[in-house]
Amino acid sequence: MKAIICTKYGAPDVLKLQEIAKPVPGDKEVLVKIAATTVNSGDCRIRGLRAPLLLQFVMRLIVGLRRPKQPILGVELAGEIEAIGKDVKGFRAGDRVFAFTGMNSGGTYTEYVSLPEGGFTLLLPDGVSYEEGAALSFGGTSALHFFRKAGIRKGQKVLIYGASGAVGTAAVQLAKYYGTEVTGVCGPKNVDLIRSLGADRVMDYTKEDFTKSEERYDIIFDAVGKITKSRCRKALAPNGTFVTVEGLEVAKVRRDDLKLLITLMEEGRFKPVIDRRYRLEQIPEAHRYVDEGHKIGSVIITVG
């Protein structure tokens, strides 16, 4: 089968299309034929070994010294179960599923993957496309993790900086789910999009600086890793909290988070935003686009 292999750390050209053996599911695993996956900022961070200089060694210890221990990157997918292990009870061949493998596991830049039945693999409801299923997990679970860390609750004022990315677009919708007053900060071309996702106020960062306004926020969530707590200090309410995706912290994923996201999608209260689509062999090109830092929502890879 075809797979994209990260041969070493570096620019997108280190990603190479190769033929590898098709996996065989274990007794408690399911074999999924992948229909769609994504390229996200976390994938690009691992590929490029992007971390502050002093943390790069720590990052190498975690993900691999000379190249990623898991050379097939990618963390979210949707597809169809082709086969199941003999002890699998909750799935059957032909089931449509979506799954999240996690930043430390990866493995979705390929045509097939074996996944544990008890992991983060769930049935994909009728009416939800493979592309939507593939784009559901990374942004949504990241936003839920950082909102829990910040202690989000109804009635708070929440500002989301970088509201137009995969994490940001999910965060806007989830902050509304929690019953907060949401301000999204984004570029001028995305103002209408962020407003359509439910933001109460949208700020164009080229025209307004939220740190110089009189508004104070209970939570400031940096969804792109481009601002600092010190810069935001004056915009925080007393006892306000600043959280950011920047750094080596990996969002903790819960199976219940994925259930919540799919439930909200079925209810029409959450929808992944999709930017561009590429084929499997175009993943290096997709990485170059994501590296530019201006993607809107998720970048989809169609497989097969």
Side-chain angles (χ1 to χ4, degrees), residues 31-39 75-82 92-100 108 111-112 121-138 262 265 271-274 276-278 298-304:
L31 177 67
V32 179
K33 182 178 182 181
I34 298 175
T37 181
T38 66
V39 171
V75 298
E76 52 188 344
L77 67 94
E80 181 179 314
I81 292 180
E82 183 172 284
R92 61 185 180 182
D95 281 344
R96 298 171 71 248
V97 296
F98 73 101
F100 186 69
T108 70
E111 294 180 300
Y112 292 89
T121 304
L122 286 81
L123 292 172
L124 192 65
D126 293 338
V128 179
S129 71
Y130 284 132
E131 290 187 354
E132 290 172 325
L136 184 68
S137 304
F138 174 74
I262 203 67
M265 180 182 282
K271 184 176 179 64
V273 174
I274 294 173
R276 296 187 180 184
R277 296 164 176 83
Y278 296 85
S298 296
V299 170
I300 295 291
I301 305 299
T302 56
V303 183

Side-chain angles (χ1 to χ4, degrees), residues 151-181:
I152 193 171
R153 61 183 183 274
K154 184 177 181 179
Q156 289 182 318
K157 291 185 177 182
V158 176
L159 180 136
I160 299 160
Y161 188 87
S164 58
V167 178
T169 53
V172 169
Q173 297 174 81
L174 291 168
K176 291 305 297 180
Y177 160 74
Y178 280 113
T180 68
E181 181 182 316

Side-chain angles (χ1 to χ4, degrees), residues 96-261:
R96 298 171 71 248
V97 296
F98 73 101
F100 186 69
T101 63
M103 296 307 298
N104 292 328
S105 299
T108 70
Y109 288 2
T110 185
E111 294 180 300
Y112 292 89
V113 65
S114 285
L115 300 171
E117 178 185 19
F120 300 118
T121 304
L122 286 81
L123 292 172
L124 192 65
D126 293 338
V128 179
S129 71
Y130 284 132
E131 290 187 354
E132 290 172 325
L136 184 68
S137 304
F138 174 74
T141 58
S142 297
L144 288 169
H145 168 82
F146 286 103
F147 280 153
R148 278 196 300 267
K149 182 177 179 179
I152 193 171
R153 61 183 183 274
K154 184 177 181 179
Q156 289 182 318
K157 291 185 177 182
V158 176
L159 180 136
I160 299 160
Y161 188 87
S164 58
V167 178
T169 53
V172 169
Q173 297 174 81
L174 291 168
K176 291 305 297 180
Y177 160 74
Y178 280 113
T180 68
E181 181 182 316
V182 181
T183 297
V185 181
C186 62
K189 68 177 183 178
N190 298 320
V191 169
D192 290 342
L193 168 66
I194 303 309
R195 187 174 290 113
S196 75
L197 296 178
D200 299 284
R201 183 185 178 193
V202 184
M203 301 177 69
D204 173 357
Y205 72 84
T206 67
K207 297 179 179 179
E208 296 181 82
D209 184 346
F210 74 91
T211 66
K212 296 180 180 179
S213 74
E214 298 299 318
E215 194 69 63
R216 298 294 178 264
Y217 301 94
D218 300 293
I219 296 173
I220 295 178
F221 178 24
D222 172 18
V224 288
K226 291 185 177 180
I227 55 174
T228 62
K229 183 176 181 178
S230 59
R231 179 185 166 190
C232 298
R233 198 175 305 278
K234 291 182 179 179
L236 283 169
N239 300 316
T241 303
F242 171 82
V243 287
T244 179
V245 298
E246 179 63 17
L248 297 181
E249 179 177 356
V250 177
K252 184 178 180 180
V253 180
R254 302 176 181 180
R255 189 176 178 87
D256 284 345
D257 289 348
L258 296 174
K259 291 180 179 179
L260 172 62
L261 292 170

Side-chain angles (χ1 to χ4, degrees), residues 260-272:
L260 172 62
L261 292 170
I262 203 67
T263 297
L264 292 177
M265 180 182 282
E266 289 184 283
E267 295 174 351
R269 302 170 67 186
F270 183 87
K271 184 176 179 64

